[in-house]
Amino acid sequence: FQSLQDVGKEKNFVFLSKKIEPSSVLETAPLFDSLKKELAWNKFSTPTFTQSYCWPPVAGGCDVIAISHQGNDPLLYIPPVLTLLQESDYQALPNMSGVCIYWTREPPLALILCPGWKKAQLVFDLLKTYRKGCRHFYPVLITLGQNKEATSQMEIRGCEVVVTTPYNLLRLLEHNPGLLCRLCHLVLDEIGVLLSDTSEQVFTILDCYKKATARAQGNLPHQVIAVGTRWNKHITPLIKEFMNDPHIVITVVEEAAIFGNVQQVVQPCISNNKTAELLKILDFTQRNLQKVLVFTDSVTEVEMIHKALKSNSIVSLKKHKESKCNAECVLERWRKMHSSGTPAVLVLTDDCLHSLGITDATWVIHFSFPSPAVFGQRLQSMSDTFCPGIKDSTVDQEDAKAKSVILLTENSSCHASEIFYYLKRAEAEIPEELYDLTAKVQESEEDEKFSRPLCASLKTFGICRNRTECPDRHQINLSIDTAQNIAAEMIETPERVTILPLFIVHATKYFGRIVRKQKDQYTALAKEMNDYFKVPGHRISVNTVEKSVFYGLREGAICHRVQVVETPAKDEENVHKVTIKYIDEGRTSQVNSDQLLHLPVKFQSLPPQAVEIIVCRVKPIDNEVEWNPKVTDHINHKIKGKVHHAKVVQTLGKTVWVDPMVGVTHLPTVRMWINEYNIRSEILSTGLGTDNPEHVGEIEKLCTQTALVDHGQSLEHLNTKEDTADLEEVSSPQDPSIQENSAESCNSPVTPPSSKSSVLSTSFQTGIQVSCHPPIKWFQDDVSVTLKVQILKATDSRCEFCREKVTFSAYSDGKRYVADLELYQSVIAEKSTCVIKDTEAVIVLVKEKKGTWCKLLKNKNVHVSLDFGCWEESEDERPFTAG
């Protein structure tokens, strides 16, 4: 093993399974000359520390595992792999043309597996950049969808390198098992991510590769390269089963410690009892003659610990920046103690470790809770005693030579989250105290994000994959989310709004306007602005541009209202570009400041019309976190600037969630709207999108947080009083006499029959108070049941959930309304929710068992009926009728 190798002027840590002579200069690197020139042409000066250790074994055709902070950089492997493809002799490979269906010439020689389409695109672009110096080199990027017909008809010209993802490769292998028949080089990019998210798929591919190489004739070269930023527990079986004595290069101390089987121990204790806990630990190490380093972050604590050890007859040394004894003296005495059979204990501050250069300690005790940076430095002091367990069975943690002990107190919250996740990856035993402390820290971190924007992934897909690293918030902030609510007059009815998407962010997120059916205020405003600015004398340029102020902007014959969101710094006198936002469209751009026009006050009275529109219940395939540009381009071409009808399922601030959203064409002669396409279905038809059934439920859960309900704030400001005569309305028929009786029951003290358990009347010993029963409509899906309680501006509302019962009560217009419903089947009470809106209360019941209920209640209730308008349609989703 090697550590603290000199490369250039800096000292870096490297942990190697075999000795490697680093290539630290580009001129002498093991790359062919044309590629070196191409690298230099692209401003590549010299190999990084990790590259200097990776390039030699990769270029030598060896199997390689590389873990580094720069492990997500494709240049760790691209230059040496290109060198192999250029200089190696592949003439001995059998001619497989015609054997593999998709390859008109020959199957690929190299395959690069990336964790997602975005990384695959980056790798492909780099290959195209550096292939200029290569002869006969053809890289191919494969991003397939779930459309099997398209996959089976796919034709690719001959190529040397294929770049793709695990899911895409498996789709190809399903139709063409011979795809790997000539494969010599398999690269696993970002191995930690691949094995965390797609370990099953990766090992399936490795099995196929292993079988293909076993069937290959002759002595063919075979190489597996895996690079990444973090060690993963699945790398060990990868090495054992699919690699041939690989070179392992790790330049991150913490990751080398996991590979080196350093035993991580967390010892909870009270802060004022840390010294006593330390003495217990040292009592054990004394008996086993360990070389122990006790780390702390203050001179005072070093002196205190040293004094405590001395008073307990434990021989120890101390070192901090105020020590009289220099580093060489301390180091010599510490080593003599161990060689003479005396337990060696050194108490020191973190800033002294570098000058001591200790790498052979067997125990590290973290008296002060470590930060991630300090943690790695402390572990490096044991690097000579790391004990990798690859060839044989995994090293037993109890027999591990190196041990790291963390003293955890109630004051250790500062870096608890980072250490917690590291210990989980190291498969250490984690006490409950650290779980609790981490949860509190994460809650506090979420509170600190309270002024940040709401997480885009949470809004778009209903989930954020990594909340701990996401910079945005994941909870409602009333002051932000309800400060600019969509005006009621912007929406006709929640059942069908007219949407004009104008700026497409990605496949399911757009900015645009909600157009009023009867009289669209913006249409009138736009015409008036265009007429006004046609007059040259009205086009008054702005001398001084101010941030957040509204201006006019002419683009051809069209005038826009814009707001300045960013201005040049004061010292940039020659810069006249300003960043503006089109407040009625949602897009932003940069323009010259002299293009901005004075906007009369009469054109500023109408609020900004741009809203964020999100299409629900669809997400990218293969657990991707972003939409493939192919889908976004398709949707952009399909919908931009065209009228759509949509049903609003939720609103929050200036964001509306719609499901479905349908492209329509108006036939004025017959006064009809024709449905052309459903956006969700369009996305699914590309094969690059898949169903996301939890999306709407997660958004409703987000919007029904206690803060909103407690403040009595409505999440939807929907105007349902517009003329809806041309919309289809389906409701269950009711006997007029029943409706009359319902109305009368609000004014007369009638006690309903006991057989109808859902009829609501409340008796009190002090007298009889009769409650009205509100009309209720309901619909369901496989997971939940939604009840819409028709009640205006409810106050003092209560909703109680039981396994087979839900009780709702509220006051409206001086009357008390109660619904006591005995359910036909069971629900999960703690997951069920209720939110009060302006015109109704929405109750969402989460089913205990998934499936369809044949009815809602055990006993019939005349006030409860099906909501046919919300009833779950087939996958074709034809939500709007023509006419």
Side-chain angles (χ1 to χ4, degrees), residues 824-840:
Y824 176 69
Q825 290 192 30
S826 302
V827 298
I828 305 174
E830 58 270 21
K831 290 187 178 180
S832 300
T833 58
C834 174
V835 61
I836 306 299
K837 302 181 180 180
D838 284 342
T839 60
E840 62 185 10

Side-chain angles (χ1 to χ4, degrees), residues 249-264:
V249 180
I250 305 178
T251 60
V252 185
V253 181
E254 304 93 298
E255 306 307 317
I258 296 177
F259 170 62
N261 288 287
V262 174
Q263 184 182 359
Q264 299 287 350

Side-chain angles (χ1 to χ4, degrees), residues 673-687:
W673 289 96
I674 301 298
N675 296 342
E676 290 189 2
Y677 56 84
N678 182 310
I679 290 181
R680 180 172 176 273
S681 299
E682 281 291 318
I683 293 172
L684 293 174
S685 69
T686 66

Side-chain angles (χ1 to χ4, degrees), residues 347-359:
V347 186
L348 71 162
T349 51
D350 296 301
D351 52 9
C352 297
L353 181 58
H354 182 71
S355 60
L356 291 168
I358 296 173
T359 58

Side-chain angles (χ1 to χ4, degrees), residues 2-121:
Q2 294 170 269
S3 62
L4 298 175
Q5 291 289 329
D6 276 316
V7 174
K9 296 181 180 179
E10 296 183 359
K11 286 188 174 182
N12 295 277
F13 171 86
V14 63
F15 188 91
L16 304 172
S17 60
K18 299 179 182 181
K19 185 173 178 61
I20 297 174
E21 193 62 39
S23 283
S24 54
V25 181
L26 182 59
E27 287 74 14
T28 59
L31 310 177
F32 67 95
D33 292 338
S34 298
L35 182 56
K36 290 178 186 177
K37 292 177 182 178
E38 197 64 42
L39 285 164
W41 178 261
N42 285 278
K43 310 289 190 203
F44 187 96
S45 57
T46 186
T48 64
F49 179 75
T50 307
Q51 287 168 352
S52 70
Y53 280 95
C54 284
W55 286 2
V58 173
C62 303
D63 289 353
V64 176
I65 295 278
I67 305 295
S68 164
H69 285 306
Q70 292 78 43
N72 54 4
D73 180 8
L75 291 184
L76 278 179
Y77 58 83
I78 284 180
V81 167
L82 290 182
T83 299
L84 281 171
L85 292 172
Q86 189 71 10
E87 298 183 348
S88 298
D89 183 12
Y90 296 98
Q91 298 300 319
L93 290 174
N95 189 317
M96 302 298 292
S97 181
V99 175
C100 303
I101 300 171
Y102 299 103
W103 313 95
T104 56
R105 284 169 49 182
E106 294 283 357
L109 297 171
L111 170 66
I112 303 175
L113 280 183
C114 300
W117 68 262
K118 201 167 188 177
K119 185 59 183 291
Q121 183 68 57

Side-chain angles (χ1 to χ4, degrees), residues 53 116 122 125 308 356 439 441 463 510 685 755 767 780 786 844 875:
Y53 280 95
L122 170 65
D125 291 342
L356 291 168
V441 169
I463 186 173
Y510 332 120
S685 69
S755 61
Q780 65 173 315
T786 302
V844 179
E875 188 58 35

